[in-house]
Amino acid sequence: MRVGCLVFAAVGALACQSPAALPSGAPIGGTPRFAPVVPDAIDHAAADLAAAALTGDPAQTAAALGRFENTSTLGASEHDTTGLGALAEETANAVLFPGRAGRDATARLLERPDVDAATRERLERTLADDPLLLAEARLRDARFVDVARVFNAVSAPVGRSISNATLLPYSLGRALARVAIDVAREDPLPLRRRQALAHWKEFRRRYPDAAEAADLDAEIADYQQAWHETQHDRALGLADDAHDDGRPRAARLYALRAQRHQASEEVRDALDRADAAIDRQDRERAHALTFEAADAAREPPFVAGEREAVLAALGAKTPEAAEIPALADVVSFRATTRDRDASESWEQLTALATDDTSVMARHATALLQDPVRNARGAFEAERTLERRRTATYVLLGPLASGPSDAPLGALEYLLDLPSRVQGASLLPFRLVGLPWRDPTRGERRMAVHARRALETARDDAEARRIRAWLLDFESRRGNAIGALRLAEAQPDFDEAELDALRDQAAEQALGVARAEQRRDLRGTLLTTVARSYPESRAGAEAGRLARELALERGGPEIRLSRGFLLENPGVTGPRGLDLAPALLDERLDNGELHTQGVVFVGGRDLLVHVVAAGEDEDAEPETLNARLSKEHLGRLVARLEETSFRNSLLDTDDALEANPQRDVWFERARLGLDERDDAKPGSEARFDYRGMRERYGMVRSRESILPVELVLQGSLADLTLGAFPRLRPPRETPDAVLYRE
């Protein structure tokens, strides 16, 4: 009997359950309005305080603050949820406590219980943004980095000694030697100490009368001298690199830069070396543009009309130029370069470049070494070099890279020599992984030269060989479009492989078109894919997407997701969007907001996505149209931006993302220009406001507050395995990039 009653009750409950339905009434603006609040005595006292603070008069501000405190009955009570008392005290502190005295006032203000979370976070950041505190923090980070470098260097070999403890003394010695090398290579003023120097200077500039400013003069002088040494060493290094690359004028500029920071014997040597190289370079250029006296005795053989053609090519304008006798090499060079696509011409040009007695040897050498005009030769040279590098890597492994040119490069190479020898013995592993390795930098340079060579090359055996290599290169790096172009240029390419390449190229082009954010460019790309690959599946899909895109309405698309609206009631409520409460009550029988939320679609129009009748949240939503007044839209935009900034203060994971098009559209909405959407394609606003749970799920990843982590490490190169603790150095500050150079 009891079981029958339970079954009857369950059937009755299911029968009475209503399916999902669309909401009744307007989705926006359903909240009843109340009369505006009339300002009371507290409001007038707060306005008087604000006016007094704007005058900057401490006496008037103190008097206005006293009147406000006497008028307010809540004061600094924890029951004051408005936060007006804390804001009043903060406003008065800006006038009553200028300079560093405001720090103590801000600290006392934080002790009030009525300070709301966003204001508390802002004030705490203001206290932390003190140049002296920032400098001390950067110095602590620098000292911790020094300690962590030594600790990590010792703990790593100790942890790896689990598999082989006999090499522990050698590993420790090598690690400590590496630390010594790193210290010797380090700049005289490292990054974090440069930041501390900048903060000290800012503190002395901002608070010149502070007691701490006088104590910083000695530290600033020492750090400033170290900074000049750092810039001096860096500029000298750049000068040496420029000299080795054959750029003496750049080397001289870098040497002068080093001289501005510190005059030294190294700077004078660099300047003398650069001046000598510049003089030698100028003499060589002058020699290349003139004929030597010994060449004047040579009488070149000329064919009919050749002398006039050569003189015209040389730009001869005077009768004396016609008497130049030594033009045989010029004639030979000109005849050789008439048809540079022929292999015979390059062979003759090579012979001319190797002739030390020829006045055109430098010109021939320059033409041969030019990767643009001699792309085929550059391709062959780079291919030979890449084959040599690959063979050396496969055979020698870590031994392939010799000592660097750095002052301590040879010592560092000797310290790593035992592990390099052990790694070099793993030849089978390198042979197995050779076919699957990514294209190297040398192969990418080869591809550039190959494309240039094919632009003007004849369809000969050499061009076919270059095209075959380039086709294999594009296929290995996943560029199906480039591979298809090369395959179509080859007449005898297999049709089946060509069809497969077309399908792959169409898929690649469709992926690029879908990823494009701008509406006009996405439509153009989709149309191009549909026309270029009409017989492929991706081409048909691109055509369908292009038609759908043409039917869609243009304009902005700024989305407020359901999760964002649930987490931010200030945006959802009467002071913001004023969304109907029934849309967020988690009941499907009276209509419920879909996860896609609300979308701004241009002008003052909104699209409200709700769960379709009889469906669940996973199905496609129903769309309801809504239109806001100008005042309502301006109020909503202001509330949305204020909430976003507030959230970014309270949670670093909820940082406000930059989007210029969104900001421009919001500004137009506030100014009442919402009726005319900006028709420029690049101005279309696309942005999604999503809740934190939608972004990260239930749990967001957090970094450990402990500065130590356990590392499990193994290596096939030296067949080691170990576990050891490691100190994690502090992260660089966002402005660290400003102090790197």
Side-chain angles (χ1 to χ4, degrees), residues 531-602:
R531 293 176 177 176
S532 301
Y533 311 100
E535 299 179 356
S536 63
R537 187 205 64 81
E541 178 68 13
R544 184 185 66 80
L545 294 176
R547 290 190 296 272
E548 292 180 356
L549 186 64
L551 296 176
E552 290 180 1
R553 175 180 175 178
E557 187 175 325
I558 301 176
R559 184 182 307 275
L560 310 179
S561 71
R562 183 174 184 271
F564 179 83
L565 293 174
L566 284 173
E567 295 177 10
N568 298 277
V571 177
T572 312
R575 297 180 181 271
L577 181 60
D578 197 9
L579 190 68
L583 293 177
L584 293 176
D585 61 358
E586 299 184 357
R587 293 176 54 188
L588 296 181
D589 57 344
N590 62 347
E592 184 69 12
L593 189 68
H594 196 268
T595 55
Q596 296 185 15
V598 180
V599 183
F600 293 94
V601 292

Side-chain angles (χ1 to χ4, degrees), residues 342-480:
S343 301
E344 297 80 6
S345 298
W346 289 109
E347 294 175 0
Q348 296 173 10
L349 199 63
T350 303
L352 185 61
T354 56
D355 187 1
D356 297 334
T357 62
S358 174
V359 296
M360 301 303 294
R362 283 179 53 84
H363 299 281
T365 303
L367 187 59
L368 287 172
Q369 294 178 353
D370 191 342
V372 176
R373 291 182 290 181
N374 186 18
R376 182 175 297 186
F379 170 78
E380 294 296 340
E382 190 65 39
R383 187 175 190 181
T384 301
L385 184 61
E386 179 62 22
R387 286 175 174 175
R388 187 182 301 116
R389 283 194 293 258
T390 302
T392 305
Y393 164 75
V394 171
L395 294 176
L396 301 179
L399 292 175
S401 58
S404 62
D405 296 334
L408 300 176
L411 178 59
E412 188 176 8
Y413 186 82
L414 289 176
L415 291 174
D416 291 341
L417 191 59
S419 61
R420 290 174 180 264
V421 172
Q422 186 177 6
S425 61
L426 302 177
L427 177 62
F429 291 97
R430 293 192 292 275
L431 286 176
V432 170
L434 186 61
W436 291 278
R437 68 170 186 167
D438 296 331
T440 62
R441 184 180 303 176
E443 288 180 320
R444 289 193 290 269
R445 286 196 294 263
M446 288 169 57
V448 173
H449 300 321
R451 295 188 190 98
R452 289 174 178 169
L454 291 177
E455 288 177 358
T456 57
R458 299 173 178 175
D459 192 13
D460 54 5
E462 188 69 18
R464 287 173 174 266
R465 185 175 65 85
I466 295 177
R467 186 180 292 109
W469 179 90
L470 189 58
L471 177 62
D472 178 70
F473 171 79
E474 298 290 0
S475 300
R476 283 190 291 115
R477 76 187 189 113
N479 185 12

Side-chain angles (χ1 to χ4, degrees), residues 26 156 226 247 339 447 490 497 618 658 670 677 713:
R247 299 181 291 120
D339 189 6
Q490 187 171 333
E497 296 183 6
D618 295 331
R670 278 194 296 265
D677 289 333
Q713 192 177 76

Side-chain angles (χ1 to χ4, degrees), residues 633-705:
L633 180 61
R635 185 171 64 249
L636 173 58
V637 167
R639 175 66 65 175
L640 183 59
E641 289 192 313
E642 180 183 355
T643 302
S644 300
F645 283 114
R646 178 188 176 90
N647 293 344
S648 65
L649 284 174
L650 296 176
D651 194 341
T652 56
D653 290 335
D654 198 9
L656 183 63
E657 302 177 22
N659 190 296
Q661 290 80 11
R662 174 205 60 196
D663 297 339
V664 169
W665 191 85
F666 280 171
E667 187 65 24
R668 290 171 59 87
R670 278 194 296 265
L671 294 175
L673 303 177
D674 47 85
E675 294 292 349
R676 302 189 306 274
D677 289 333
D678 195 346
K680 294 190 293 295
S683 64
E684 291 185 352
R686 295 288 187 272
F687 195 78
D688 285 346
Y689 286 95
R690 294 188 300 159
M692 298 297 289
R693 182 166 296 184
E694 292 174 329
R695 295 187 194 179
Y696 301 101
M698 294 297 295
V699 180
R700 286 178 281 168
S701 61
R702 298 286 186 180
E703 289 188 359
S704 174
I705 61 174

Side-chain angles (χ1 to χ4, degrees), residues 14 61 78 162 192 229 257 304 345 380 472 644 651 737:
L14 291 176
T61 304
E78 60 183 1
I162 298 176
R192 291 175 174 84
E229 293 178 4
R257 180 189 297 179
S345 298
E380 294 296 340
D472 178 70
S644 300
D651 194 341
V737 66

